[in-house]
């Protein structure tokens, strides 16, 4: 029994049943993914379009591929036939592109809105106020081929647990504000994707429903 299979079993037996595990396989080879697959894992996360397509076309068809990295609009067409959930929709332009390309191939694509929480260093993501503005402009009503099923966020990259918890609480509060505001009536708006190898326990405490675990399952990445 291999290390990766052990880690999958560990996560499946310890995280709450209403929290979904996404095994982040970016930069890891097909054989590692297959070991996790044989242990029962079906949801895998990738952060680069080319890599997702290469893996999706050579690995079992019942794998659910999650796109978790920054997505350029010109890569949307490439990944759409293979992707099950895009976590990282971070601009109106990208949202419209996913909608248009989904329409073109006659599918509806599940997406998460990436949130930018106050103290986080990355420049990607919406603030809750930006989303409310988009909603006021009627943008969400115009989108027919995207299904917004929740939010994704990242905590600051720091050892300061208090700050990490503050960030997760900001993401959860923003989700609640959207769920009771502009997303009212959207029954599928349920997912809070937050938590990675180093901070997933705090994320679950703060309300995460989907954790994205890479290095703690597959080992360190060689970029
Ligand atoms: C790489 C990555 C992860 C996984 O990070 P680990 O620390 O290896 O668990 C999670 N989320 C996103 C957005 C990532 O890019």
């Amino acid at each position: 029994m291999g290390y990766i299979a052990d880690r999958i079993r560990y996560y499946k037996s310890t995280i709450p049943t209403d929290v979904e595990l996404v095994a982040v396989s970016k930069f890891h080879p097909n054989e590692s993914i297959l070991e996790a697959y044989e242990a029962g894992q079906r949801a895998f996360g990738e952060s680069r379009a080319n890599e997702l397509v290469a893996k999706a076309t050579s690995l079992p068809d019942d794998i659910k591929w999650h796109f978790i990295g920054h997505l350029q609009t010109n890569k949307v067409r490439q990944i759409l036939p293979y992707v099950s959930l895009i976590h990282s929709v971070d601009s109106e332009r990208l949202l419209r592109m996913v909608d248009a390309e989904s329409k073109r191939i006659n599918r509806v694509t599940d997406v998460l809105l990436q949130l930018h929480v106050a103290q986080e260093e990355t420049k990607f993501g919406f603030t809750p106020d930006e989303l409310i503005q988009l909603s006021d402009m009627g943008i969400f009503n115009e989108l027919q081929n995207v299904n917004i099923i929740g939010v994704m966020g990242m905590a600051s990259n720091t050892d300061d647990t208090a700050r990490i918890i503050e960030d997760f609480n900001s993401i959860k509060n923003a989700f609640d504000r959207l769920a009771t505001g502009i997303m009212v009536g959207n029954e599928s708006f349920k997912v809070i994707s937050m938590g990675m190898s180093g901070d997933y326990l705090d994320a679950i405490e703060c309300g995460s429903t989907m954790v994205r675990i890479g290095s703690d399952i597959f080992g360190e990445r060689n970029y």
Side-chain angles (χ1 to χ4, degrees):
M1 186 193 317
Y3 176 81
I4 293 169
D6 267 351
R7 297 310 292 156
I8 293 294
R9 276 189 279 269
Y10 171 80
Y11 275 96
K12 288 200 183 296
S13 62
T14 57
I15 64 174
T17 51
D18 54 356
V19 174
E20 187 179 352
L21 171 65
V22 178
V24 176
S25 49
K26 63 188 185 193
F27 300 98
H28 290 285
N30 285 358
E31 63 186 25
S32 297
I33 296 173
L34 280 173
E35 184 179 340
Y37 179 89
E38 298 298 339
Q41 182 63 23
R42 291 295 179 271
F44 292 90
E46 290 289 334
S47 61
R48 296 192 308 186
N50 296 343
E51 192 175 345
L52 185 148
V53 172
K55 288 174 173 173
T57 50
S58 58
L59 286 163
D61 280 344
D62 61 341
I63 288 180
K64 305 278 187 220
W65 294 101
H66 291 227
F67 194 86
I68 62 169
H70 179 61
L71 180 58
Q72 290 168 303
T73 48
N74 63 1
K75 297 290 172 109
V76 171
R77 182 173 293 192
Q78 194 187 349
I79 67 164
L80 267 195
Y82 308 103
V83 81
S84 127
L85 176 61
I86 302 174
H87 289 231
S88 43
V89 172
D90 60 0
S91 70
E92 180 190 344
R93 207 164 96 83
L94 182 58
L95 195 56
R96 286 187 185 280
M97 182 64 87
V98 174
D99 186 52
E101 287 293 331
S102 299
K103 186 169 292 169
R104 199 180 65 85
I105 62 169
N106 196 24
R107 72 166 286 186
V108 176
T109 305
D110 285 345
V111 303
L112 303 177
L113 300 171
Q114 184 171 350
L115 292 174
H116 178 86
V117 299
Q119 302 172 326
E120 183 200 2
E121 291 85 354
T122 161
K123 57 188 185 297
F124 300 121
F126 298 101
T127 64
D129 287 331
E130 283 168 348
L131 291 175
I132 287 163
Q133 271 176 18
L134 291 181
S135 174
D136 287 345
M137 288 156 54
I139 306 297
F140 296 123
N141 299 330
E142 293 170 24
L143 304 169
Q144 294 177 332
N145 291 67
V146 293
N147 189 22
I148 300 173
I149 67 166
V151 300
M152 185 272 259
M154 270 179 276
S156 306
N157 185 13
T158 170
D159 293 333
D160 180 354
T161 308
R163 183 165 158 188
I164 290 171
I165 289 173
E166 217 178 295
D167 288 345
F168 287 146
N169 282 328
S170 301
I171 295 164
K172 168 70 164 106
N173 290 339
F175 171 86
D176 288 343
R177 191 173 154 205
L178 297 169
T180 56
I182 62 176
M183 293 295 164
V184 156
N186 176 355
E187 296 299 327
S188 42
F189 191 76
K190 287 183 180 146
V191 176
I192 304 176
S193 166
M194 61 183 187
M196 324 200 313
S197 292
D199 57 20
Y200 77 97
L201 289 172
D202 287 323
I204 291 171
E205 284 284 308
C206 295
S208 172
T209 71
M210 190 177 273
V211 292
R212 310 177 307 268
I213 311 290
S215 47
D216 197 43
I217 292 173
F218 294 106
E220 292 305 318
R221 290 178 286 271
N222 297 310
Y223 289 97

